[in-house]
Amino acid sequence: MTNLEDALGEIDVLATAEAIDISPTKSALDDKINEYFAGAVVRKDLVKSVRGNAVVPTYVLEYLLGQYAASDDEATIQAGIETVRQILATHYVNRNQHMLVKSEIRRKGRHRVIDKVTVTLNEKNDVHEAEFENLQVKEVIIDDVTVKQNPKLLVGGVWCICDIEYFHSDDQRVVPWILGSLKPIQVAGVDIDHYYEARKAFTTEEWIDLLMQSIGLNPGQFNERGKLIALTRLIPFVERNYNVVELGPKGTGKSHTFSEFSPNGILISGGEVTAAKLFVNNASGRIGLVGYWDCVAFDEFAANRRTDQNLVNVMKNYLANKSFSRGTSIYGAEASMAFIGNTTHTVPYMLKNSDLFDELPDAYRDPAWLDRIHHYIPGWEVAPIRSEMFSTGYGFVVDYLAEILRAKRVEDYADKYEKHFTLDTSISTRDQDGIRKTFSGLMKLVHPTGEASEEEIRALLEFSIEGRKRVKDSILRIDATMRENPVKFRYSDHAGTWTDVVSLEENQYPHLYQRDWGTQPAGSIAEESPGQTRPSVTADGGVPSTAETGTTHTEVPLIEGHRDFKAGQKGVSYESLILPYLRGASTVTITDPYIRMPYQGRNLADLLSLLAAAKDVADEIDVTIVTSEETRVEYKQNQLLMLKSIKDASDAVGVQLKVRFDETIHDRRIEASNGWRIDLGKGLDIWQRPSDNPFDFGRNRQEFRLIASAFSVHYVRVDTQDEACDSPGHT
C-alpha cells in the first residue's frame, strides 16, 4: 500500500518521459470481429472521415466503405478511405451543385452519379419515369424490368449508383436525360449459415457489444439495460408486423436507427402521411409504403396534432390484423411500424396528471389503437447523445446486418421461453402477443440460432413483459372500464416460483404510478428483516432530507438491511443514500478501487462536500480513501493530480483527506466511527456519465442523474464504534 504523497513524487518522471502514443487501438473484441467476419465489418468512425458534405444515409457510406475499406489493415483502410472520398467527390451529387453536374454530363455525354431516385408511373404516356432528388431532373424514362426488380423506387425512393446520358433533341417534348444503368446501393446477398456459425465464437456480452458497435454506438457508454433499449429499436427490422412506440426527450437518438441504419426501412414525418400514401391509393389501386418496406417509422409523431380519422381507423385494423381494406378490396402486408416522438413533461408529471401516452395526438389516445402497440420503449431512460457515445470500434457493415435481419423475419422465436417459463394465465391474448413478439425479436438479435441459457432467456422475457406492461398500465389510466379484469404481469419457472415484473417508473414512483387504483406495485419496496422498522422514504426510495420531512437529522430512523436500485432510475443522491449513516462520525474510511476518471473524482468530491456541510463548522473529520492506482502510464498523472486537487479542497473545509493506494482491494464500502458500515455494490460510481451540456442540472444535483446499472446497498451496524475504521489494511 502506498500513499498519495509517494505517488505524486513520480509526476516529474512522468512529465519528462517521452511522449506516449495514446491513439485508439483495436480491442480484443475488434480482433475477434475481424477474425470471424472479415470483409463484412468496417471501423465505425470511418464514416465521419469520408462523409464530408455528402448528405447521405450512413448505410450508403458504409456500403462504399465495405467495398474498399472492410479490413483491419491500416494501409488498406487509408487507401480505401481515399478511394471512397474520390468516388464521392466525383459522383455524389451535391444539391447546390446540380447545375455543375448537369453541365458535366452534357460535356462528357455520360457520367456516373450517386443520388436518390424515385419513380412514378406516367399514366398518360404509359411509361415509368425517374426523378433524381439532388440532380433535380425528372421525367427520365426507366424500363419496366428495372422497376419490377426494385419496387421501392415507386415508394419513397432508393439511393442508387446510376449512369446518366445526355442527348439533346429539337423536339421540346423530349427530355434530354437518358438512364444508362441503375444499381441500388445494397449488398447482393449474405451467407446466413456463416453468420450462425460465427456467432458461436462470441459470448452473449460480446455479441451484444458487436451489435451496438454495428449501429454506431460505443457499448462502453451503456449499461445492460441501455443496450437492450438500443437493440429494441432493431426489432421492427427483424420481426414482421411489430408495433413499437418510443417517447422521450430530444437528442437521445430515437430516429437515428430508422433514418440511417437500413435500406429496408423508411422514416417519414408523422404529419406527412395519408391513408393513400401509407396503405393504398383508391384511385390508382397502387399499394402504399407498407407493401414495400420492412419498417415504416413515424418521426415527430407526438407533435402531429392534425387528425385524419380515416387514417387512424385503417391503421388500427392493420396494427391488429396485418391487413387493411380500401374500397372493396382487402390487402395484407408485413411492414412493422415505429412511432417516435418527444416528451415535454417528466415521467412523474405524466404519472400524476395523465399517462405515459400524454404526448400523443388525441385521435391516437384511443385505447383500442394503443392496445395494438406491442412495446413501449422508455425514451427518458436514454441519455442525450454525446460524442464519446459513438463507436470507434468495428461493427457489421449496416447493409450486411440489414439483410441478415430481413432474412430472419420469416422465423418465429416467440415460444423459445416456454421451455423454462410460463406466463400468468390472467395475461390476455393481446398482451401475450406483445410480449411474445418482443421476445422473439430480441432472441433473433441476441441469440440468432435460438439457443440460450435459462438466465439469458429470463432477462429478455422480463424486458419484453415490462414493455408491454407499460402500454397496458397507461391504457388502464385512460379507460377505467378495462380494470375490471385485473392482469398480473408475472411468470413462473418450472419449479413453480412466481416472479412479478414491474417497470422502472412503477418501482421508482409507486405513489404516482398506482394513484388511480390504489395498489402497491409488487417489488417496489425491498424485503425487510423481521422486527425491523423501515424509515420514511422519498420518491426515489431514499431517506428524506430535512427539508422534505420537517424534522432534524437525528430523528430519521436508520435501519440495517439492504436497498435495491435499477438501471435508468433517477432521484438517487448521496444525501439520502449515504449521508444519514455518516452523521456524527469523526473518522470515515471509503474503499473504492475506481477513483480514476474525472467524473469519478467528482463523485468523491460531492460526498466530501456533503460531509463538510453536515458537520459543525468548528469540527474536523478524518477521511481516508483507499483506492487503486491507475496502471496505464498515460492516465496515471491525471489521476494523481486530480486526487491532490480533491485533497486540497477537502482539507480547506475541515475534512482532512488521506489517500491510500492498495492494488488488492475489490470490495466497495464505507466504514464510519459512529458504528455503521455501508457496503456499496457499485462503489461511488453509480450514475451514467454526465452530458456535454454545461447547464445540465445533473452536474450539480445528483437527483437528476440516471443510474447506470442495477446495484444494491447494504447497511450494517457493527459491534463497536472503534471497529468501523480498524479493519485490516486500513489506516
Side-chain angles (χ1 to χ4, degrees):
M1 181 181 293
T2 59
N3 59 31
L4 178 61
E5 290 72 18
D6 294 337
L8 283 168
E10 302 177 13
I11 287 183
D12 291 338
V13 177
L14 293 171
T16 57
E18 191 172 323
I20 301 171
D21 180 14
I22 57 172
S23 58
T25 56
K26 285 189 301 177
S27 65
L29 178 60
D30 288 333
D31 290 331
K32 198 170 188 177
I33 292 170
N34 277 282
E35 177 183 355
Y36 287 94
F37 290 102
V41 294
V42 69
R43 211 177 76 203
K44 290 295 171 170
D45 60 332
L46 299 183
V47 170
K48 289 190 293 185
S49 301
V50 300
R51 185 183 292 275
N53 62 351
V55 186
V56 297
T58 298
Y59 66 80
V60 173
L61 298 176
E62 288 200 10
Y63 171 83
L64 297 173
L65 288 169
Q67 303 293 309
Y68 301 100
S71 171
D72 61 346
D73 177 70
E74 191 61 31
T76 302
I77 290 174
Q78 292 304 319
I81 289 175
E82 290 305 315
T83 300
V84 173
R85 283 175 177 167
Q86 186 61 39
I87 290 173
L88 290 173
T90 305
H91 302 293
Y92 169 72
V93 181
N94 195 315
R95 192 174 183 84
N96 59 15
Q97 295 180 335
H98 69 282
M99 280 297 180
L100 180 63
V101 178
K102 288 178 183 178
S103 179
E104 181 72 4
I105 298 173
R106 176 179 177 272
R107 183 183 67 82
K108 295 168 59 177
R110 183 184 180 98
H111 183 64
R112 179 163 293 177
V113 300
I114 297 175
D115 201 352
K116 187 175 182 180
V117 182
T118 305
V119 171
T120 57
L121 175 64
N122 184 326
E123 297 165 341
K124 181 178 179 180
N125 297 329
D126 192 30
V127 293
H128 284 104
E129 296 176 344
E131 179 178 353
F132 292 76
E133 184 174 283
N134 291 346
L135 189 59
Q136 297 186 38
V137 300
K138 53 186 178 180
E139 299 179 358
V140 181
I141 303 299
I142 180 172
D143 65 278
D144 294 344
V145 174
T146 300
V147 175
K148 184 177 180 180
Q149 292 173 343
N150 304 281
K152 290 180 185 176
L153 290 167
L154 292 163
V155 280
V158 178
W159 280 90
C160 303
I161 299 175
C162 305
D163 287 319
I164 303 293
E165 300 176 6
Y166 181 86
F167 181 79
H168 178 71
S169 172
D170 292 334
D171 187 343
Q172 297 297 317
R173 296 172 299 176
V174 177
V175 176
W177 309 104
I178 302 171
L179 181 62
S181 67
L182 179 145
K183 179 184 178 183
I185 294 179
Q186 59 187 54
V187 297
V190 294
D191 185 350
I192 199 164
D193 290 332
H194 173 263
Y195 181 82
Y196 290 155
E197 190 63 30
R199 167 64 179 92
K200 299 176 183 178
F202 294 79
T203 65
T204 297
E205 182 179 359
E206 289 174 335
W207 187 256
I208 289 176
D209 287 353
L210 167 54
L211 293 176
M212 289 291 288
Q213 292 185 176
S214 296
I215 58 178
L217 298 175
N218 177 5
Q221 295 289 321
F222 294 82
N223 56 42
E224 292 181 9
R225 182 177 175 86
K227 293 175 185 178
L228 274 184
I229 289 175
L231 294 185
T232 303
R233 295 169 177 168
L234 299 182
I235 296 180
F237 297 98
V238 75
E239 192 75 17
R240 293 181 292 190
N241 300 105
Y242 182 74
N243 314 317
V244 63
V245 164
E246 180 175 2
L247 301 177
K250 295 180 180 179
T252 55
K254 294 185 293 295
S255 61
H256 173 79
T257 300
F258 302 101
S259 63
E260 300 284 325
F261 170 74
S262 173
N264 301 324
I266 185 171
L267 179 71
I268 58 178
S269 172
E272 295 179 355
V273 67
T274 63
K277 180 178 180 180
L278 186 59
F279 295 107
V280 68
N281 188 312
N282 279 344
S284 65
R286 185 183 306 148
I287 198 165
L289 298 173
V290 296
Y292 297 95
W293 298 93
D294 292 349
C295 174
V296 179
F298 300 83
D299 197 13
E300 303 295 344
F301 187 70
N304 175 29
R305 295 299 169 183
R306 292 183 298 173
T307 302
D308 180 350
Q309 193 59 49
N310 181 50
L311 172 62
V312 176
N313 293 335
V314 177
M315 187 183 292
K316 188 189 303 183
N317 186 58
Y318 176 75
L319 295 180
N321 304 316
K322 311 170 190 176
S323 63
F324 52 93
S325 58
R326 295 282 285 162
T328 59
S329 302
I330 297 179
Y331 302 82
E334 297 181 353
S336 296
M337 289 192 174
F339 304 94
I340 308 161
N342 296 324
T343 54
T344 55
H345 298 297
T346 64
V347 172
Y349 180 94
M350 289 188 286
L351 292 176
K352 180 179 179 180
N353 296 284
S354 57
D355 55 83
L356 297 180
F357 288 113
D358 176 68
E359 302 287 349
L360 294 189
D362 291 340
Y364 293 96
R365 285 171 49 77
D366 173 10
W369 190 91
L370 295 174
D371 208 21
R372 272 75 169 168
I373 301 301
H374 296 125
H375 192 90
Y376 188 136
I377 299 176
W380 50 84
E381 291 187 34
V382 182
I385 295 296
R386 308 183 302 271
S387 57
E388 63 266 25
M389 295 173 72
F390 293 107
S391 174
T392 57
Y394 283 79
F396 293 121
V397 175
V398 290
D399 206 30
Y400 168 86
L401 182 57
E403 290 306 304
I404 290 287
L405 300 188
R406 162 172 265 197
K408 292 192 69 61
R409 284 171 70 87
V410 300
E411 300 176 339
D412 184 11
Y413 287 177
D415 61 350
K416 295 295 183 180
Y417 69 85
E418 294 178 355
K419 179 180 179 182
H420 304 285
F421 306 108
T422 303
L423 297 178
D424 191 282
T425 55
S426 68
I427 300 178
S428 69
T429 300
R430 185 158 284 167
D431 291 329
Q432 288 196 38
D433 186 48
I435 294 168
R436 289 164 64 88
K437 287 183 77 69
T438 302
F439 175 79
S440 176
L442 289 173
M443 280 291 292
K444 293 178 192 177
L445 290 166
V446 182
H447 307 287
T449 61
E451 298 298 323
S453 70
E454 180 175 344
E455 288 309 305
E456 289 170 338
I457 288 176
R458 181 193 298 271
L460 300 186
L461 180 62
E462 287 189 359
F463 186 81
S464 303
I465 295 173
E466 180 188 339
R468 175 58 191 180
K469 186 179 189 297
R470 187 175 289 112
V471 174
K472 189 60 171 283
D473 286 352
S474 289
I475 294 174
L476 295 181
R477 288 173 174 270
I478 297 171
D479 185 356
T481 63
M482 298 186 69
R483 302 177 199 165
E484 297 173 359
N485 299 311
V487 178
K488 294 182 179 179
F489 283 91
R490 63 177 187 170
Y491 66 90
S492 70
D493 57 24
H494 287 337
T497 302
W498 287 97
T499 300
D500 293 291
V501 177
V502 295
S503 66
L504 183 60
E505 60 274 11
E506 181 181 4
N507 204 13
Q508 189 172 357
Y509 309 107
H511 59 301
L512 297 175
Y513 200 93
Q514 303 288 350
R515 64 178 173 83
D516 288 331
W517 49 93
T519 57
Q520 183 72 8
S524 62
I525 298 179
E527 293 295 328
E528 299 173 358
S529 301
Q532 290 182 346
T533 302
R534 173 166 294 277
S536 301
V537 294
T538 61
D540 69 327
V543 178
S545 66
T546 301
E548 292 169 320
T549 64
T551 63
T552 62
H553 64 79
T554 56
E555 295 173 346
V556 176
L558 305 179
I559 62 167
E560 291 190 85
H562 76 278
R563 288 164 54 199
D564 299 320
F565 299 87
K566 290 187 176 183
Q569 187 171 335
K570 279 187 178 181
V572 181
S573 68
Y574 292 157
E575 188 171 6
S576 62
L577 188 70
I578 297 174
L579 183 61
Y581 293 84
L582 300 186
R583 293 185 185 275
S586 59
T587 59
V588 176
T589 298
I590 304 169
T591 302
D592 188 332
Y594 295 103
I595 309 292
R596 301 178 179 180
M597 305 303 292
Y599 65 90
Q600 295 169 334
R602 179 72 264 168
N603 291 337
L604 174 60
D606 286 346
L607 179 56
L608 296 176
S609 70
L610 285 174
L611 288 175
K615 72 178 181 62
D616 188 283
V617 68
D619 292 339
E620 289 189 348
I621 300 176
D622 292 325
V623 177
T624 299
I625 175 72
V626 183
T627 188
S628 59
E629 198 168 2
E630 175 62 70
T631 57
R632 296 170 294 180
V633 178
E634 62 270 23
Y635 298 118
K636 182 176 181 179
Q637 179 175 338
N638 290 337
Q639 181 197 23
L640 298 179
L641 291 175
M642 176 187 73
L643 291 171
K644 178 63 166 62
S645 297
I646 294 172
K647 173 177 170 55
D648 292 342
S650 181
D651 290 350
V653 293
V655 179
Q656 303 298 317
L657 181 64
K658 295 181 180 179
V659 181
R660 299 284 183 265
F661 294 110
D662 187 344
E663 306 309 317
T664 65
I665 59 174
H666 179 268
D667 293 340
R668 297 140 168 96
R669 69 169 69 95
I670 299 176
E671 298 158 292
S673 60
N674 62 2
W676 283 101
R677 188 182 81 225
I678 308 172
D679 294 329
L680 303 169
K682 294 290 185 180
L684 297 179
D685 188 9
I686 60 176
W687 295 286
Q688 293 184 14
R689 297 184 185 185
S691 71
D692 294 330
N693 181 1
F695 303 106
D696 185 343
F697 289 178
R699 287 178 172 266
N700 296 314
R701 296 293 301 181
Q702 296 172 338
E703 294 88 343
F704 295 110
R705 303 176 190 173
L706 288 170
I707 294 297
S709 57
F711 70 95
S712 296
V713 176
H714 295 264
Y715 301 99
V716 180
R717 184 76 181 181
V718 296
D719 292 336
T720 65
Q721 293 187 358
D722 292 337
E723 182 180 347
C725 290
D726 289 340
S727 56
H730 288 165
T731 301

